[in-house]
Amino acid sequence: MAGANFLLTLVAAVLCVCFAPTAAGPGIPEIKAYLNGVDTPNMFDNRKHRSRCRGLRSRKRRATSTHRQLHRFSTRPRWPDNYRIKWRWLRYFNNDRDRRDLITCGSSSGVCAAFRAPVGGVLFALEEVATWWRSALLWRTFFSTAVVVVVLRAVMEYCKTGDCGLFGKGGLIMFDVSGVSVRYHVVDIIPVAVIGVLGGLLGSLYNHILHKVLKVYNVINKKGKLHKLLLSLSVSIFTSVCLYGLPFLAKCQPCDTSLPNTTCPTTGRDGNFKQFNCPKGYYNDLATLLLTTNDDAVRSIFSINTPTEFNIFSLFIFFALYCILGLITFGIAVPSGLFLPIILMGSAYGRLLGIAMSPYTKIDQGLYAVLGAASLMAGSMRMTVSLCVIFLELTNNLLLLPITMLVLLIAKTVGDCFNPSIYEIILELKGLPFLDANPEPWMRNITVGELADVKPAVVTLNGIEKVGRIVEVLKNTTHNGFPVVDSGVIPPIGSPNGANELHGLVLRAHLILVLKKKWFLQERRRTGEWEVREKFTSIDLAERGATIEEVIVTKDEMEMYVDLHPLTNTTPYTVVESMSVAKAMVLFRQVGLRHMIILPKYQAAGVFPVVGILTRQDLIAHNILSVFPHLERSKGTKKGQ
Amino acid sequence: MAGANFLLTLVAAVLCVCFAPTAAGPGIPEIKAYLNGVDTPNMFDNRKHRSRCRGLRSRKRRATSTHRQLHRFSTRPRWPDNYRIKWRWLRYFNNDRDRRDLITCGSSSGVCAAFRAPVGGVLFALEEVATWWRSALLWRTFFSTAVVVVVLRAVMEYCKTGDCGLFGKGGLIMFDVSGVSVRYHVVDIIPVAVIGVLGGLLGSLYNHILHKVLKVYNVINKKGKLHKLLLSLSVSIFTSVCLYGLPFLAKCQPCDTSLPNTTCPTTGRDGNFKQFNCPKGYYNDLATLLLTTNDDAVRSIFSINTPTEFNIFSLFIFFALYCILGLITFGIAVPSGLFLPIILMGSAYGRLLGIAMSPYTKIDQGLYAVLGAASLMAGSMRMTVSLCVIFLELTNNLLLLPITMLVLLIAKTVGDCFNPSIYEIILELKGLPFLDANPEPWMRNITVGELADVKPAVVTLNGIEKVGRIVEVLKNTTHNGFPVVDSGVIPPIGSPNGANELHGLVLRAHLILVLKKKWFLQERRRTGEWEVREKFTSIDLAERGATIEEVIVTKDEMEMYVDLHPLTNTTPYTVVESMSVAKAMVLFRQVGLRHMIILPKYQAAGVFPVVGILTRQDLIAHNILSVFPHLERSKGTKKGQ
């Protein structure tokens, strides 16, 4: 078994290290960044998913299966770009908006499939993953999780008759605790609050240590592929040693013969009372928790009316082991998840607390385990509504709702006092330019004009531009959008000596397309709309990824002209230079922009109609602070959280 | 009893007609409009809630109790404005954002209290009510519903011992159907789909007829207060006659003695088998449904394993009666709700369908009632996720989730083919300028510059303006914001003969404040920031509602000056005149604006730096169509729904 684990980890790690480095880790931060508007190269390519799928299988579903579903939905629109499949109809989804919608649906379906929590999946996508939210999207994610649930049910129905291995067990409700009698009174609020506070503290501590561990791992991983591989493999060996060695430390416990209808001890894969190394009539409680699938471990630890089943010592070893494994496994080069390790940690913590507080309250210890898992998740991931619904759907006990809500709110509040959520920490570590919903307070003290001043001067193009200039501009800059300005036009009113007119914004991709298709003019003239339509289909215009190096332009062609007017987006979003960065950022994020043109606040003859151009990178807090370090001092707490 | 109903309706109607006309109706459309940015006068004043509360009590909780909670939260910030209570600390909530957040929390708490559905309440606020959604708001609404649930539980616990009348009955789960065995197979999808399709058809038919009825009522209500009152009272008499007369039509049914633990017939207020006019050993099924609270009626009709309890004839009368009552009660001048009438209608429809299809499937008739109610609500209100969670929380049966999801999705899709949701219909009838999430397709064919051209020329103020001019402008226009332009300034680069500078936007309320506080200057000069801070507190600046008529300015003062610079918002959102109306609308709604300044696309000496100003009214579809009727022809279906 240890050998098998080693081998499978090796395969997954080699795949991740050599072929798809982005497949390592939990995936959710990357999706979050993508939906925020960050377009990392290779973020969603096909190979990643293959190695991720392999990794998932090998690691016995330790990872959340977000990606299994995501694979089905989200990679489709990306395939036509980079890979072989070029179906015509798929191209209709080849635009940013549909791609984002599909990925959001995919992430909600993933959570839905992992926890069999359709509504929880929708809320997860809403609360944690998505940046922009439309009413239509709510409906679409809901539809996709409905499909997942119906398919799941059908497969489960089928698996009941045949044998699908570990799949299909547990039914639609994974950890049913609906049998527990929830009779709690006002005094029970005290232990519930204690669970929440401690869960919040532990969660933020976990975030803090994980941050440190990931930093160390980053240093190791940078040293080369071999280091990366060795790190993964040593973690794998450590895991195997612990899982098979630690149960020997636990004392054998006698079976409780007073319980009806339970087989004790059990020798197979299932069951609450594993025999392991014990004589007949005894069971090893640590083996029950460690030598099984994670799902079954959660099920055993959540089980109700079993106050004496688990020893404090065994629970503590289990808790400590999962803390260590959760911390060291996360950053290695294999696909991994956050949900189940934290649920396991949290449920062990909850049961330990339950045993410690058992003289004072009557709350069942299985319930403590559920609440402990909820509190640790809220303390680390800082979600509330979605976690609440996921736990409701996992445990099928509506009467737990009020106390679950309380625990989640307390844990989140406590955690927020110390550090940001685990996803934000990972996003920052990965250096992804994520735009936060709330601008920092010091952003109100700086205008976009000041920001534009310290940047290199903006590169603008004429409405009818020479091919040579376009090639030069594309080669010498890395900008993705260029303002198009017409000079010397006659405005309807005012100045007789001609005005400058801001015509709009042209994209690098479209300029390259023009050069590739050699759509040149011999003389400076305006072309008609229909000429463009004839030449470029909407599919051409949606293509991305071509580079200027692929384009070959002859010397003669360099002297020719291109009419950029029909290719220009005449309605780009703009801000005046006196706009504060905070407000510009709100606009940028709310409307979902890539570029924003800065206009002058003055209106006079010599003034150029464009002051600069703002991109996502310009609005990232630490990029601004690197140029204006004095703003750091006025840094305070965020408003509106 | 009929007399009591008449009297109570009279009181509610008189209050509504004479004191608080906005209290009539369901209230949700108004909240939706307010959260969209519409600020109707008296929308949330104190008197309204008093008469609404009275109405609620009198009408035996027929209305959804959204407002009971809302009252607690949302009116608070408004009180200091119009009423006596002027607590200092309340003023800190006296800004638009906090007010909106509180109202959103209030509406979610209202639904939570009405259905005891905390998560459903949050989702309802998210899906139906709120226009802007922030992650922080999700957390806040969740917190407020958590408080509501904890309070509810405590009160219920207390009511178990004492006697609180009808309050506190039903527990935290109102219509528990968790006992039903949900064993459905692939073939059961067919009846489920039928429920969904018929529910969608009925729902859209209900919307259609209600639209017509409300139009007729509008005509009657406009004729005067007496007409309004008479209409309400005649509906009340009709209701009483039907409720007490119709049960005589039903045949008495013999009690089923095979059922254990049921008292049959019952003579009191509760119970599934009302004796009414029947001999001993018999019960009147229509009386069971009609002569009880609505909650109990729903509970009886949802009850499982009672296939023979209700007669087809009685169910049909019940269905028809509630269709008629639901249609004619809604528009009269008393506070009323939508949720419970539709649930009652839907459950009767579901049971009827269940009886009709009983030879073909094994689904329980109580389940049919639940699904029928869900389908009719989705067909009329077009919500999906929130309804699904509300039904989950009402019925406490997680295994129903997949089929509920299917029914809701089918019903919504079918309904959307025919007409918009009931709330949108009411919003349109009330003439509230609600900004839709998706711009109409023809809005892409018109620019904001064209829109500005047909409006009266924009009124701008100088940075340092004469008092006389300000008074004149305020008296002659109704605009709420004025662009401030400095002329003859020297820009950093370019034109030596001076430029025009757009300084920002000043609000009407602030201008009136200046006039009231007589903050005038003898000569044209710039004032310092500190002078303003000394004179105006942030509380002063947050005040609204003063009118120019309250201000008295002497003739001497008219010749003095005001420096508007410190009072100007220097960072208003702007668009260039070539921006399409569709994109401007997205910006307007996404960022939550009141005014948007239109800038010229030309840059030259004689060009004025402001082309116009856009307000919410300018962006409402039918306002644009009234000026540009030719756009109507290109009107098509909405994209993105």
Side-chain angles (χ1 to χ4, degrees), chain B residues 180-434:
Chain B
V180 67
S181 74
V182 195
R183 296 211 90 0
Y184 42 87
H185 294 280
V186 181
V187 282
D188 287 338
I189 285 185
I190 299 161
V192 165
V194 172
I195 297 176
V197 172
L198 285 182
L201 287 175
L202 281 177
S204 58
L205 188 68
Y206 177 78
N207 286 4
H208 181 74
I209 300 177
L210 188 63
H211 190 185
K212 303 277 177 220
V213 171
L214 286 179
K215 270 187 175 168
V216 173
Y217 275 19
N218 267 356
V219 174
I220 298 175
N221 284 339
K222 269 184 195 147
K223 286 193 178 162
K225 286 183 179 177
L226 194 67
H227 283 84
K228 234 174 171 175
L229 211 60
L230 283 176
L231 181 67
S232 308
L233 293 178
S234 47
V235 168
S236 156
I237 292 169
F238 176 77
T239 310
S240 300
V241 168
C242 289
L243 287 183
Y244 299 101
L246 284 176
F248 287 103
L249 293 179
K251 262 182 281 179
C252 288
Q253 301 205 347
C255 288
D256 187 352
T257 45
S258 65
L259 294 170
N261 305 324
T262 46
T263 48
C264 171
T266 41
T267 46
R269 215 159 36 186
D270 303 332
N272 259 3
F273 305 96
K274 285 260 166 74
Q275 191 170 1
F276 197 58
N277 61 340
C278 295
K280 213 169 152 54
Y282 287 79
Y283 69 96
N284 185 323
D285 56 349
L286 198 52
T288 303
L289 293 176
L290 291 179
L291 296 176
T292 181
T293 63
N294 286 325
D295 287 11
D296 281 331
V298 176
R299 217 164 285 139
S300 323
I301 211 165
F302 276 9
S303 61
I304 49 174
N305 294 324
T306 50
T308 54
E309 184 185 336
F310 300 105
N311 196 317
I312 298 188
F313 178 68
S314 305
L315 279 175
F316 187 77
I317 291 183
F318 180 76
F319 175 63
L321 174 66
Y322 265 91
C323 284
I324 295 168
L325 288 183
L327 286 170
I328 64 171
T329 313
F330 194 75
I332 61 173
V334 289
S336 60
L338 268 173
F339 274 93
L340 267 180
I342 294 184
I343 288 183
L344 284 169
M345 243 184 278
S347 53
Y349 142 70
R351 253 194 190 246
L352 280 172
L353 202 70
I355 293 173
M357 293 207 284
S358 56
Y360 309 110
T361 64
K362 283 179 185 170
I363 300 180
D364 193 279
Q365 289 186 16
L367 214 60
Y368 267 109
V370 173
L371 294 178
S375 71
L376 205 62
M377 286 187 89
S380 172
M381 301 176 173
R382 311 289 157 77
M383 295 180 284
T384 49
V385 191
S386 50
L387 273 185
C388 184
V389 176
I390 288 174
F391 268 91
L392 173 65
E393 291 181 306
L394 279 178
T395 57
N396 191 24
N397 195 329
L398 202 62
L399 294 170
L400 278 180
L401 199 57
I403 46 173
T404 317
M405 284 174 101
L406 268 187
V407 163
L408 289 173
L409 283 169
I410 293 171
K412 182 192 153 78
T413 314
V414 170
D416 275 341
C417 299
F418 297 101
N419 47 27
S421 88
I422 186 93
Y423 293 125
E424 281 175 51
I425 288 175
I426 297 169
L427 276 174
E428 209 197 302
L429 266 179
K430 296 216 168 195
L432 293 171
F434 187 84

Side-chain angles (χ1 to χ4, degrees), chain B residues 457-479:
Chain B
V458 61
V459 179
T460 57
L461 295 172
N462 261 315
I464 298 168
E465 189 60 88
K466 256 194 168 171
V467 174
R469 172 99 207 286
I470 294 177
V471 172
E472 183 205 318
V473 161
L474 289 179
K475 281 200 172 142
N476 294 335
T477 66
T478 54
H479 305 172

Side-chain angles (χ1 to χ4, degrees), chain A residues 576 578-580 583, chain B residues 502-505 565 568-572:
Chain A
V576 179
S578 56
M579 178 66 96
S580 75
K583 275 178 129 176
Chain B
L502 171 65
H503 190 72
L505 188 86
H565 291 102
T568 303
N569 169 13
T570 54
T571 59

